[in-house]
Structure formats: C-alpha cells, structure tokens
Amino acid sequence: MNAAADRRIVVPQVAHFDTSLVLRSGAVLPAYDLVYEMHGTLNADASNAVLVCHALSGNHHIAGYHDPAEKKPGWWDNMIGPGKPVDTDRFCVIGVNNLGGCHGSTGPASIDPQTGQPWGSRFPMVTVEDWVAAQARLADRLGIHQFAAIMGGSLGGMQVLQWSIMHPERMRHCLVIAAAPGLTAQNIAFNDVARQAILTDPDFHGGDYYAHGTWPRRGLRLARMLGHITYLSDDVMGSKFGRLLRNGSFAYGYDVEFEIESYLRYQGDKFADAFDANTYLLMTKALDYFDPAHHVPGHSLSQALAPAKAGFLVISFTTDWRFAPERSREIVQALLVNERDVSYAEINSSHGHDAFLMPDPHYHALVGAYMNRISV
Amino acid sequence: MRHDLQTIAAWIQPGAKVLDLGCGNGDLLKYLRETRQIHGYGVEIAEDRILGCIRNGVNVIQRDLEAGLAEFSAGSFDHIVLSQTLQAVHNTEAILREILRVGREGIVTFPNFGYWKNRWQVLQGHMPVSADLPYQWYDTPNVHLCTMHDFEALCDRLDIQILERVVMTEGRPVNWLRNLTGSLAIYRFRRRLA
C-alpha cells in the first residue's frame, strides 16, 4: 500500500485580527494573523475542542501532513490523530502558531503594514500571557467557549497553566507536561548564552538582518546546539553517541570527529536554515519571563493558581533536568493547596526533556486514559 | 470490594477529604466518591496502578511513600487511609508521623501476624501463608509484619490515640481474643491530645 495515500492531509488556515492587542509589556500590536490547523470535527456545541500549545521551536503543525510530499508529519503526530491518545475521532484538536512565530503567524519576519518593511527589531516582546490572550481570541472566532482540554509540553505546558489562571471557565481539563512554574536561574542562563550567540553574530544587525540581506546563521546554529545538549540526558547521549568516532581514529584537528559533534552540528545546521533568529530570541524571553507567582502578593504559586477550576493531569520525566520532576511537583503542590482535581505521573524515561515528544507506551496510555474520561 | 475497605468506608464522613496511601487502582476512592461524595486523592508508585486510577477517574499522585508526603500540607485531609500497606513500608514510624501531620484521622489496616493460624504455621516450622498474607517468604513485599499488640505499643510510643478497632477473619468481625483469632486488623486513630 502506498504510504502517501494513508497520509492525513491538513490544510493550515489563517485568522486575521483587526482589533489591536495590548501586550503585557505595554506595547500594542495593531493587527495580526494567527495561523492554525484543526484535526477532527468540531461538534455542534463546540464541546469537543482541544487546544495544543507549542513549545520553543514548535508551531501550529501538530499532526498529519501539509502535503503528500512532506518529509515528516507534525511535531506531535505520535500523540494526536485517529485512535491515538488524543483521538481526533472524538476531539477536534487545534494547533496555533504563537505570535512572534516564524511559521505564518505575525512575527518579526512579517511585514509591518505601517512601514512596508519586516518588523525586525521593532517587533514587540511577547509573553505567555499575550499568547494566551491571542489564542483566546482565536477560540472566540471559532465559536469555542470552553475547551474540553488544553494541553502542551515544556513552554506549551506553561501556556496551559496561564490559560487556567486567565480564563478558568474556558477549559474543563489541563494537561501540563514536562513544564515548570517558572525557569530556574540555570535555565535562564542557558537561554542567555543562546541569545548572546545570536545577538553577537555580525549578520544579526540588531535584528534587522532582513533589510541587510543577511541571516544570523552562526548564532542561531550555536543557540540550537546548546539547546539540544540541555534537552537530552547525559544517559541518552552516552548510550546514543558515547565516545564513538566517525572515522574510527583521532584526526587531531577541529573537524567533526566524535559522533556527538556530528549530531549537534547537523541539528544546528538544519535549525539555522529553517527558523528565524528573532523568533528564537522572543520565545526564549517569553520562557524567562513566565512566572505566574511573580504577579501575586508573597509570590505564592498556590495563590497564583487559585483561580484555576479545571482538572489537571501533570506529567514529568525522570531524566528531564531542564524541566525537572521537582518543578512539576511544585505545580501539583499548588493545585493540592487549592483542592483542585489533579493527577501526577513521573514517567521513567532516558530521553531527558525531549521525552515529552517520544512515543513512550506508558506515557501515551496515561494521556489516552485521561482523555477518554473527558465527556464531550 | 475487599472487606476491610467496606469497614473503612463506614468510618468516612460524607463530603470528607480523603487521602489514600498506596491506593492501588483507586477502587476505594472511586467507591467513596460514588457513595459518600468525598473529595479524594490517591498516592501510588506503581505505573500500572497509576494508569488504573486514571482509568477510574480517580486523582492520583505518583510518589514513593518512603519519602514522606511533601506535597501535602499539614492538616489538609479529614481521613488518611493506609490499607494493607503498613507492613510493606520501610520507614514505618515516619509514615505514621506523616499521617498525623497531614490528616485529622488515620485509618490503617494490616495482616495480624498474631493470628493463630500464622502462629501455628511458625510452630510447624514455616513462614505463614494465608489469604491476608498471600506471599512466600522469598517473594513477599512485606518487611515489617507485626501483631496487634506490637502495633498498639508503637501507637503508644508515637502518641497515637486509637479511636476504633475492627478485627476480621475471612471477612467477618471477631470480638474475643482478637490478637489470636483475627486475621486482619483495622484501626482508626488520631494524634493524642495533650
């Protein structure tokens, strides 16, 4: 059978918004586009909608294929689809590219209608709160008053938490996966090194590289290589690459020798060609700023989460040191203080932070079982 | 439903907040939710049982009981249940102290090692195997078996006040020479008031 014939083709759609959005920073985005895709069918009362929030380098393309020739399906295709843990035969699952993104939603590479030039360095800083506000407007547009569930991993999980605080009535369930209630100093440090790599690239031109016809490839490549190290566990790097040499012996030079070097450079190259550096900067800042407890007296997470009404499934992974299980336990503790319905599972995995994207049978069984309980 | 779980259910106030330590697939919590409208959470460590809880629609927190109950704040539950788990816990004193910290009342059930059939098997030269102790010595998860006298002595030392005690054999309550005739002990207790 032709594999391509089996491919579920999904066509991304664009929603244009003319109402200005006042951002957390105080800046105003006068108008913007959000690109999104939908899997499954929205039922008559729109009670089966599930929103999937994406992480740092993700986008709206959550599952299926955009065209029969596409090399890889959407980034969460093992989770979302007919008969999968998030079953598109029951749910209508929506992925949105966030503001500031580089996959179709308005971002730094988009044309600013006021100047006719790309936004570049003038694109305002966006936060997790701003993303949720924009996603809520898209939900209004689609006639979705209350999501059956909102889910996401990593930075996506942070958006889920923010949703539960800002719009507690607008979802029945939250799936917060490999997330944290705020980055640690170590995490912010990694992000800053990544940003410095981009900001100091001579091709960056203060963010206006579009006008200069350059692309801060070297910086973006380094940023991604650094990120990749932190998304894997020492264990998985050891078992996958160890001290393996590409050519079997030392060459006593600076070209690729160890397999891990080859892997990281490949990942860096691939990313640097496909992703926008300004978007990377914005997304890492959104990560750094996220801290719902920051805005309440006493900086108490439980007080920050007090408005939440949804049921929660919180999941972490044992070898994830970037968003460690202890950080998920902080979320659980805050929800327990508020007597919210919450379940917490810590999945045994060797894959570090990347584990949330892997098809682990127990992890998928838990998500599937949780989703099955949700009535639509 | 296991007989000890029915006894436990009878002690739970309607609408109470219940924490079930070592909750298995969440059967007790599900039963209590359906019959007593409780708000409950289970604590479990085994993957398959956590999945069982999710399938049952029961809140479950994955955690190793040996490490205490750090996510749970003091006095946040009406009842804390530790059903047929005490004998498999290494840090017995620590978990009893955690129960007293987090809950208003504790409910503990365990197989009574003093039951005459257990004693008889030991006298015959074997480790006991029975309905309430269904393991061989080499595959048992139990590490801290005790008799009712032993448990009550520990309660005394930890300033635990026993409020109620039900002892069962083959699903029926027994009322005389209970440390000898009872196979399963069920206790309701709280911190002794000064």
Side-chain angles (χ1 to χ4, degrees):
Chain A
M1 193 165 178
N2 183 358
D6 274 350
R7 289 185 161 190
R8 287 173 294 108
I9 302 296
V10 58
V11 180
Q13 299 171 67
V14 178
H16 179 74
F17 295 85
D18 275 327
T19 318
S20 63
L21 187 66
V22 180
L23 304 172
R24 182 93 211 180
S25 66
V28 178
L29 208 51
Y32 54 94
D33 289 340
L34 289 177
V35 62
Y36 65 98
E37 62 181 39
M38 290 173 90
H39 299 260
T41 310
L42 200 59
N43 63 12
D45 55 355
S47 65
N48 69 335
V50 172
L51 178 66
V52 175
C53 304
H54 70 75
L56 181 57
S57 58
N59 53 45
H60 57 290
H61 190 20
I62 50 177
Y65 294 83
H66 282 166
D67 62 73
E70 195 174 21
K71 274 190 190 150
K72 288 204 306 188
W75 58 270
W76 225 356
D77 191 72
N78 60 31
M79 182 69 88
I80 300 157
K84 293 185 181 176
V86 182
D87 190 347
T88 51
D89 289 336
R90 281 189 79 216
F91 295 106
C92 175
V93 187
I94 300 163
V96 192
N97 185 209
N98 281 326
L99 278 179
C102 54
H103 294 94
S105 291
T106 300
S110 309
I111 302 296
D112 175 0
Q114 284 180 342
T115 63
Q117 298 295 314
W119 281 91
S121 61
R122 289 171 307 102
F123 194 83
M125 203 66 91
V126 283
T127 64
V128 169
E129 291 100 312
D130 300 330
W131 287 337
V132 168
Q135 289 162 11
R137 285 189 179 179
L138 179 65
D140 294 341
R141 178 77 58 89
L142 297 173
I144 299 162
H145 173 66
Q146 184 186 63
F147 286 99
I150 301 184
M151 65 189 297
S154 188
L155 177 56
M158 291 171 160
Q159 291 160 62
V160 179
L161 281 179
Q162 192 62 45
W163 261 101
S164 76
I165 295 167
M166 277 168 66
H167 301 290
E169 314 280 353
R170 296 200 71 171
M171 84 292 295
R172 299 195 292 286
H173 293 274
C174 289
L175 288 84
V176 180
I177 302 169
L183 291 192
T184 61
Q186 189 191 46
N187 264 317
I188 295 172
F190 280 125
N191 280 348
D192 195 46
V193 175
R195 283 192 296 267
Q196 288 300 318
I198 294 168
L199 293 168
T200 58
D201 186 325
D203 288 333
F204 183 65
H205 295 291
D208 292 317
Y209 43 89
Y210 319 103
H212 286 81
T214 60
W215 192 252
R217 214 181 161 279
R218 287 166 289 182
L220 194 52
R221 178 173 177 268
L222 279 178
R224 186 58 172 178
M225 287 170 76
L226 175 70
H228 247 284
I229 299 170
T230 70
Y231 304 146
L232 300 178
S233 69
D234 193 21
D235 278 358
V236 85
M237 258 201 215
S239 63
K240 226 170 148 177
F241 306 105
R243 293 188 50 84
L244 280 179
L245 294 162
R246 292 200 78 191
N247 297 318
S249 61
F250 294 159
Y252 300 102
Y254 296 112
D255 287 338
V256 171
E257 289 190 75
F258 291 94
E259 285 290 354
I260 182 64
E261 295 175 316
S262 166
Y263 171 80
L264 281 180
R265 290 182 196 193
Y266 171 75
Q267 292 294 339
D269 286 336
K270 199 172 70 165
F271 190 73
D273 290 334
F275 209 82
D276 183 75
N278 280 320
T279 291
Y280 200 81
L281 293 175
L282 283 176
M283 299 269 171
T284 61
K285 283 303 277 189
L287 266 166
D288 292 1
Y289 289 133
F290 180 72
D291 180 8
H294 178 81
H295 304 290
V296 295
H299 300 319
S300 143
L301 181 63
S302 54
Q303 207 174 322
L305 280 167
K309 287 192 160 65
F312 282 79
L313 177 62
V314 179
I315 294 178
S316 71
F317 299 88
T318 49
T319 53
D320 183 352
W321 55 280
R322 190 103 199 238
F323 289 76
E326 299 79 62
R327 307 308 315 284
S328 283
R329 286 188 181 277
E330 289 176 36
I331 297 168
V332 171
Q333 185 168 15
L335 292 167
L336 285 171
V337 168
N338 288 302
E339 304 191 356
R340 299 274 62 86
D341 281 326
V342 53
S343 284
Y344 170 66
E346 205 168 292
I347 311 290
N348 249 313
S349 166
S350 61
H351 287 101
H353 187 53
D354 268 353
F356 87 89
L357 297 166
M358 304 283 173
D360 177 272
H362 177 56
Y363 164 41
H364 277 194
L366 280 179
V367 172
Y370 191 84
M371 294 303 292
N372 273 340
R373 298 276 315 176
I374 300 177
S375 48
V376 296
Chain B
M1 175 75 71
R2 280 190 346 233
H3 297 293
D4 59 325
L5 299 185
Q6 281 174 12
T7 302
I8 293 169
W11 285 342
I12 305 276
Q13 301 301 313
K17 225 183 136 190
V18 181
L19 182 62
D20 185 1
L21 306 178
C23 64
N25 292 327
D27 293 335
L28 174 68
L29 287 169
K30 187 180 178 207
Y31 176 75
L32 291 174
R33 188 185 61 210
E34 285 163 2
T35 59
R36 305 199 163 245
Q37 295 76 47
I38 59 115
H39 187 220
Y41 300 86
V43 173
E44 196 33 88
I45 192 166
E47 279 187 357
D48 53 334
R49 294 179 194 155
I50 288 161
L51 181 58
C53 287
I54 301 287
R55 288 196 174 126
N56 266 331
V58 166
N59 294 319
V60 61
I61 308 295
Q62 183 165 1
R63 161 164 274 283
D64 183 0
L65 286 180
E66 305 285 1
L69 300 172
E71 286 96 344
F72 301 94
S73 45
S76 54
F77 284 86
D78 298 312
H79 306 273
I80 301 200
V81 179
L82 185 69
S83 150
Q84 305 214 27
T85 302
L86 185 73
Q87 75 280 0
V89 169
H90 283 88
N91 299 312
T92 314
E93 286 185 53
I95 194 63
L96 286 171
R97 285 206 181 89
E98 279 290 80
I99 289 174
L100 295 174
R101 178 182 70 83
V102 175
R104 197 166 53 76
E105 274 187 23
I107 297 171
V108 163
T109 83
F110 58 88
N112 176 27
F113 205 79
Y115 179 45
W116 71 268
K117 282 188 179 173
N118 296 338
R119 300 191 199 194
W120 179 239
Q121 289 184 58
V122 171
L123 272 179
Q124 286 179 309
H126 291 286
M127 288 300 286
V129 178
S130 67
D132 288 319
L133 283 172
Y135 300 99
Q136 296 293 335
W137 65 273
Y138 50 83
D139 65 6
T140 180
N142 298 332
V143 290
H144 283 152
L145 291 163
C146 68
T147 69
M148 291 174 60
H149 289 341
D150 295 331
F151 178 72
E152 288 173 24
L154 177 62
C155 288
D156 197 49
R157 199 163 68 69
L158 296 179
D159 280 330
I160 290 173
Q161 180 189 1
I162 292 165
L163 300 169
E164 219 166 333
R165 189 173 71 167
V166 169
V167 186
M168 298 184 119
T169 300
E170 289 166 10
R172 273 190 291 275
V174 295
N175 293 306
W176 58 283
L177 293 176
R178 288 189 277 200
N179 194 38
L180 194 62
T181 63
S183 172
L184 185 71
I186 312 171
Y187 286 87
R188 185 164 76 85
F189 61 85
R190 69 176 177 204
R191 181 190 299 277
R192 185 181 291 141
L193 304 173

